[in-house]
Amino acid sequence: MAAEALGWWGVPLGILAGTLRGSAPFLFVSLGECLTEKSGKINLGLEGTLLTGAMSAYAISYLASDKWGIPTSVSPWLGVLVAGCAGMILGFIHAWLSQQPKVNDIAVGIAMIIFGSGIAFYFGKAFIQPKAPQLPTIDLGNWSAMPAVQSALKISPLFIFGVLLAPLMAWFFKSTRWGLFVRAVGDSPDAALAMGVSIKRVRMLCIIAGSFLAGIGGACLSLYYPGLWSESISSGQGLMAVALVIFARWNPVQCLWASLFFGGAQAIGPALQSVGVDQGRYLFNAMPYILTLLIMIITCSPKKTLSGAPGALGTING
Amino acid sequence: MSNRYIYVPRRQVIRGLLATAAFGATSKLWTGCSSSPTDTASTSGTSGASPDAGKPITIGFIYNAPKADYGWNQAHAVGAAAIASMPGIKIIEQESVPETKEVQEVMRNMIDQDGATVVIATSFGYFDPHVLEVAKAYPDVQFLHCGTLWKEGLAKNIGSFFALVDEGQYLAGRIAAQASKGGKIGFVGAKPINPVLRNINSFMLGARSVKPDIKMQVIFTGDWSLPVKEADATNSLADQGFDVIAVHVDSPKVVIETAEKRGLLSSGFHSDQSALAPKGYLTGTVYNWGTIYKNYVELFKAGKTLINGGVKPQYIGGIAEDYIGLATFGPAVTEPIKKDVEAAKAKLVDGSAVVYKGAIKDNAGAVKIPAGKTYKVTAPELTKMDWLAEGVSGKTS
């Protein structure tokens, strides 16, 4: 039943497990934000989208299996889909509002955080207590006799989807016509307009698609790990993921690394405490932020601006 | 961008927004938390809670989070539900009220709009300054706060109640020690502050009273509700071979469910979580707020109030008063364990055994409670406890 003690090996294992389990929400939100920002808009509201996604996924998964008689193998997937769609609705609101003349997208984003979390809390009241069927996992650890390893290697198919999506998105930006449109709109809207591309339409689609991904990120939280709906489930992960895009220099593949890194860093504190390292607990819990600061300091340079930043980011349409 | 057909001047929009906001603010559109507005004149009577004219006593409950969280708030909501069905009582509830000025607004609304004559503030941070301030403005309304913050010299319409969990956690610790095969207990706590430390220590003292060599590792997550960290902490403890997980965070749901997934035994807190872990749940201390609330209601119905001195300003109790109890036992709690716990409980109730009986050392070896000294759970010395008992691995700072 219980595992034999792993001792210090538990720390790297715990971090690995945290990376595999905890990074999916970061990954989806940062990829969604990456797509949005590439088109020249910022969507801070993804924190609200993440919460709405988590709530709707959990609610639908529970309702579908308990009330509508849909088998538990299907209902979580239905939840994931609905979470994505709920994200798209919030994304549409953001896209529509933030493209009105003289509207600041950061201000709209903050409003959308409040709106998204408010919606999620309001409709989520009834779903805090029930238990919803969870997404299936792919068990890669069955070769090992150790339950700790088996548990660490229970990977969500959504995570694999996210990992595959990152290089796919990089390829999309680099090598496709549509990717070129997105980059053009984000870097130089005037040039895009001259090319005959509708700036509004491209941004609208990018924001909606990005919010779809963020909604799925929410589903990872509520249907995979930690696998429940509570109002504090995101604890700021959506906002961190938005910051992570800057950290990853607007590159989807680097978003993947950054997400893995943040997911793993989250687990450092608990893993070290479990082997009895109690000194500097606060420092370990603050690890993700400290590491981010360090990397920012190391990689920054006074001689050039942030490379990779879309040119039109942060400008207000007149 | 000239292809906009509907053009509304900005000033008009701003004017409209202001007008709506002003209307909303003055009419208090959102304060309709009761279905039928009660006559507010009842608050102007001399004795707010007197049952004159057959009017129901309206009691307002304020929670700091949703009331179905398998935790602290659910325990209170269960207690509130227990008195809601009593004749002559009407309860109103509001969830997710932060410990800010907003709680004052909520209290005022409950009193002015819904005619509440008793307000029960269930969260620690509601007391100072919020309850204190509103109590001044409504001298006829009784304010009951859940905590130990009441002291002499406060306004007469303020009272407090609290349940001490030490004895419950002591018993839960005894159960955990007997059910554990490896003799290693993991504890997921929020912050190293007095109530959490008391919880940990009494659990450990209970466990050690059965198996003196038992070990415990504490993980502090850093805040009351961090679901991802709580799950990570439980998984890390599972990886290290801890086979019983105890918990003190706002909602133990994540920890209990994660422990169940990993095939561990778990001991809950706040309210009954046995439905979450049908295999591994042992038991856990539950608050019986219903006992306290019923007690209050009976006093109020007899015309006694805090203001006329019929109700004591402070009620604090433990297992003997039935303010706390143990949750439904899980399947791992075998018959001999049940018998042992019944016997231990009987001793705690009649006072022939106590949780804190010297000599008790902290985990660095220093004697914290000298030999021959015993502390009842209500002893004020215990509220200063800032150490972890012998056998617990962890640091309080």
Side-chain angles (χ1 to χ4, degrees), chain B residues 176-350:
Chain B
Q178 290 171 73
S180 165
K181 290 192 179 66
K184 286 170 80 184
I185 299 173
F187 197 105
V188 181
K191 305 176 182 188
I193 58 169
N194 179 266
V196 180
L197 296 177
R198 280 181 75 162
N199 182 335
I200 295 169
N201 289 345
S202 51
F203 195 91
M204 191 59 181
L205 290 171
R208 288 219 149 191
S209 69
V210 184
K211 288 185 187 164
D213 57 343
I214 213 151
K215 291 267 186 291
M216 184 197 271
Q217 173 68 49
V218 182
I219 294 187
F220 292 111
T221 58
D223 216 335
W224 292 110
S225 186
L226 291 171
V228 176
K229 266 227 171 80
E230 286 157 18
D232 278 342
T234 315
N235 275 313
S236 294
L237 288 169
D239 291 346
Q240 293 300 332
F242 293 90
D243 62 351
V244 182
I245 307 288
V247 58
H248 187 168
V249 295
D250 253 4
S251 169
K253 195 180 178 198
V254 182
V255 174
I256 305 282
E257 283 191 341
T258 311
E260 179 81 353
K261 272 185 212 157
R262 296 295 301 263
L264 307 185
L265 301 170
S266 56
S267 186
F269 196 55
H270 293 314
S271 57
D272 192 336
Q273 290 103 11
S274 52
L276 294 176
K279 284 204 287 286
Y281 191 72
L282 293 172
T283 182
T285 307
V286 295
Y287 291 105
N288 293 337
W289 299 118
T291 314
I292 302 179
Y293 293 158
K294 273 184 192 152
N295 177 23
Y296 273 126
V297 164
E298 269 149 26
L299 292 168
F300 294 153
K301 282 182 141 179
K304 294 176 182 166
T305 64
L306 281 167
I307 300 139
N308 67 25
V311 177
K312 277 197 294 175
Q314 194 170 32
Y315 289 88
I316 292 181
I319 207 155
E321 290 83 1
D322 193 33
Y323 286 4
I324 57 157
L326 289 178
T328 321
F329 292 137
V333 183
T334 54
E335 277 310 316
I337 303 180
K338 273 183 201 161
K339 280 210 186 83
D340 169 80
V341 169
E342 286 307 321
K345 184 180 170 182
K347 274 190 194 162
L348 287 174
V349 170
D350 69 22

Side-chain angles (χ1 to χ4, degrees), chain A residues 4-134:
Chain A
E4 64 274 35
L6 281 172
W8 277 94
W9 281 107
V11 177
L13 185 74
I15 295 171
L16 173 73
T19 309
L20 296 176
R21 284 188 294 238
S23 53
F26 287 122
L27 182 56
F28 279 99
V29 177
S30 62
L31 285 179
E33 183 67 16
C34 187
L35 180 61
T36 307
E37 290 191 13
K38 273 280 184 192
S39 77
K41 281 283 167 196
I42 296 174
N43 187 358
L44 278 183
L46 291 188
E47 166 80 10
T49 313
L50 187 73
L51 280 165
T52 309
M55 187 281 295
S56 47
Y58 198 76
I60 293 295
S61 174
Y62 164 71
L63 289 175
S65 63
D66 267 46
K67 302 275 185 282
W68 309 334
I70 293 169
T72 51
S73 53
V74 182
S75 62
W77 293 107
L78 196 66
V80 172
L81 193 69
V82 172
C85 295
M88 284 166 82
I89 295 171
L90 289 179
F92 170 76
I93 300 173
H94 180 81
W96 180 71
L97 277 176
S98 65
Q99 296 204 68
Q100 299 305 308
K102 298 211 172 63
V103 169
N104 183 319
D105 47 356
I106 294 188
V108 175
I110 291 171
M112 290 304 291
I113 295 180
I114 300 168
F115 179 68
S117 48
I119 287 275
F121 295 171
Y122 179 76
F123 288 107
K125 287 270 185 284
F127 303 106
I128 294 172
Q129 207 166 28
K131 217 172 140 97
Q134 300 284 303

Side-chain angles (χ1 to χ4, degrees), chain A:
Chain A
M1 190 154 152
E4 64 274 35
L6 281 172
W8 277 94
W9 281 107
V11 177
L13 185 74
I15 295 171
L16 173 73
T19 309
L20 296 176
R21 284 188 294 238
S23 53
F26 287 122
L27 182 56
F28 279 99
V29 177
S30 62
L31 285 179
E33 183 67 16
C34 187
L35 180 61
T36 307
E37 290 191 13
K38 273 280 184 192
S39 77
K41 281 283 167 196
I42 296 174
N43 187 358
L44 278 183
L46 291 188
E47 166 80 10
T49 313
L50 187 73
L51 280 165
T52 309
M55 187 281 295
S56 47
Y58 198 76
I60 293 295
S61 174
Y62 164 71
L63 289 175
S65 63
D66 267 46
K67 302 275 185 282
W68 309 334
I70 293 169
T72 51
S73 53
V74 182
S75 62
W77 293 107
L78 196 66
V80 172
L81 193 69
V82 172
C85 295
M88 284 166 82
I89 295 171
L90 289 179
F92 170 76
I93 300 173
H94 180 81
W96 180 71
L97 277 176
S98 65
Q99 296 204 68
Q100 299 305 308
K102 298 211 172 63
V103 169
N104 183 319
D105 47 356
I106 294 188
V108 175
I110 291 171
M112 290 304 291
I113 295 180
I114 300 168
F115 179 68
S117 48
I119 287 275
F121 295 171
Y122 179 76
F123 288 107
K125 287 270 185 284
F127 303 106
I128 294 172
Q129 207 166 28
K131 217 172 140 97
Q134 300 284 303
L135 285 169
T137 52
I138 300 172
D139 299 343
L140 297 179
N142 287 345
W143 50 269
S144 167
M146 277 192 285
V149 176
Q150 286 177 10
S151 152
L153 294 178
K154 277 191 201 304
I155 292 174
S156 167
L158 282 178
F159 174 69
I160 293 173
F161 172 61
V163 169
L164 295 178
L165 190 66
L168 193 73
M169 194 183 272
W171 171 80
F172 167 80
F173 285 140
K174 193 162 170 270
S175 313
T176 65
R177 189 176 163 76
W178 284 66
L180 177 68
F181 289 167
V182 173
R183 280 190 296 141
V185 167
D187 253 337
S188 170
D190 293 339
L193 205 62
M195 274 164 72
V197 180
S198 163
I199 298 174
K200 277 199 162 179
R201 194 171 302 159
V202 169
R203 287 185 173 167
M204 173 71 85
L205 289 176
C206 282
I207 295 175
I208 291 182
S211 301
F212 177 80
L213 291 179
I216 291 186
C220 294
L221 279 176
S222 65
L223 293 180
Y224 170 59
Y225 191 79
L228 84 170
W229 161 244
S230 103
E231 292 187 357
S232 53
I233 186 138
S234 90
S235 29
Q237 288 188 43
L239 277 176
M240 270 159 75
V242 171
L244 219 139
V245 177
I246 305 169
F247 179 58
R249 302 279 191 267
W250 294 273
N251 179 340
V253 177
Q254 285 183 26
C255 280
L256 171 63
W257 303 132
S259 306
L260 292 176
F261 172 73
F262 264 66
Q266 271 190 135
I268 292 178
L272 280 175
Q273 281 194 60
S274 75
V275 292
V277 181
D278 303 300
Q279 206 70 52
R281 179 173 61 239
Y282 299 104
L283 189 69
F284 293 130
N285 282 343
M287 207 49 124
Y289 317 104
I290 295 169
L291 287 173
T292 309
L293 266 179
L294 277 180
I295 291 180
M296 287 302 220
I297 292 168
I298 292 165
T299 57
C300 83
S301 155
K303 294 199 182 76
K304 56 176 199 263
T305 53
L306 281 179
S307 55
L313 207 58
T315 56
I316 290 177
N317 31 322

Side-chain angles (χ1 to χ4, degrees), chain B residues 6-319:
Chain B
I6 309 163
Y7 178 68
V8 186
R10 188 168 45 171
R11 287 189 178 185
Q12 219 164 324
V13 174
I14 293 172
R15 235 178 261 157
L17 283 175
L18 278 177
T20 321
F23 173 71
T26 48
S27 63
K28 297 194 175 175
L29 281 174
W30 56 83
T31 53
C33 51
S34 99
S35 48
S36 62
T38 332
D39 186 10
T40 48
S42 66
T43 52
S44 58
T46 45
S47 164
S50 66
D52 50 66
K55 243 181 222 143
I57 304 170
T58 306
I59 303 179
F61 286 88
I62 307 174
Y63 312 115
N64 73 349
K67 60 181 182 181
D69 61 353
Y70 272 108
W72 173 259
N73 293 290
Q74 181 167 334
H76 278 286
V78 167
I83 58 165
S85 53
M86 293 171 81
I89 294 295
K90 190 178 148 219
I91 69 162
I92 46 178
E93 298 175 291
Q94 191 151 341
E95 307 168 75
S96 304
V97 180
E99 293 170 340
T100 61
K101 277 261 178 198
E102 197 173 326
V103 68
Q104 299 193 22
E105 221 33 58
V106 170
M107 286 191 266
R108 286 172 196 275
N109 287 335
M110 281 182 164
I111 297 162
D112 290 339
Q113 308 261 320
D114 306 307
T117 53
V118 180
V119 172
I120 299 187
T122 64
S123 186
F124 183 84
Y126 290 156
F127 191 70
D128 192 8
H130 309 298
V131 165
L132 299 182
E133 251 171 54
V134 181
K136 253 183 246 157
Y138 296 90
D140 298 327
V141 178
Q142 301 178 75
F143 293 85
L144 300 171
H145 178 253
C146 182
T148 52
L149 296 171
W150 184 88
K151 49 188 182 291
E152 287 292 339
L154 291 176
K156 278 199 82 174
N157 57 336
I158 298 175
S160 74
F161 59 93
F162 202 64
L164 298 163
V165 297
D166 310 63
E167 293 149 329
Q169 286 301 93
Y170 179 87
L171 295 176
R174 276 186 85 95
I175 295 175
Q178 290 171 73
S180 165
K181 290 192 179 66
K184 286 170 80 184
I185 299 173
F187 197 105
V188 181
K191 305 176 182 188
I193 58 169
N194 179 266
V196 180
L197 296 177
R198 280 181 75 162
N199 182 335
I200 295 169
N201 289 345
S202 51
F203 195 91
M204 191 59 181
L205 290 171
R208 288 219 149 191
S209 69
V210 184
K211 288 185 187 164
D213 57 343
I214 213 151
K215 291 267 186 291
M216 184 197 271
Q217 173 68 49
V218 182
I219 294 187
F220 292 111
T221 58
D223 216 335
W224 292 110
S225 186
L226 291 171
V228 176
K229 266 227 171 80
E230 286 157 18
D232 278 342
T234 315
N235 275 313
S236 294
L237 288 169
D239 291 346
Q240 293 300 332
F242 293 90
D243 62 351
V244 182
I245 307 288
V247 58
H248 187 168
V249 295
D250 253 4
S251 169
K253 195 180 178 198
V254 182
V255 174
I256 305 282
E257 283 191 341
T258 311
E260 179 81 353
K261 272 185 212 157
R262 296 295 301 263
L264 307 185
L265 301 170
S266 56
S267 186
F269 196 55
H270 293 314
S271 57
D272 192 336
Q273 290 103 11
S274 52
L276 294 176
K279 284 204 287 286
Y281 191 72
L282 293 172
T283 182
T285 307
V286 295
Y287 291 105
N288 293 337
W289 299 118
T291 314
I292 302 179
Y293 293 158
K294 273 184 192 152
N295 177 23
Y296 273 126
V297 164
E298 269 149 26
L299 292 168
F300 294 153
K301 282 182 141 179
K304 294 176 182 166
T305 64
L306 281 167
I307 300 139
N308 67 25
V311 177
K312 277 197 294 175
Q314 194 170 32
Y315 289 88
I316 292 181
I319 207 155

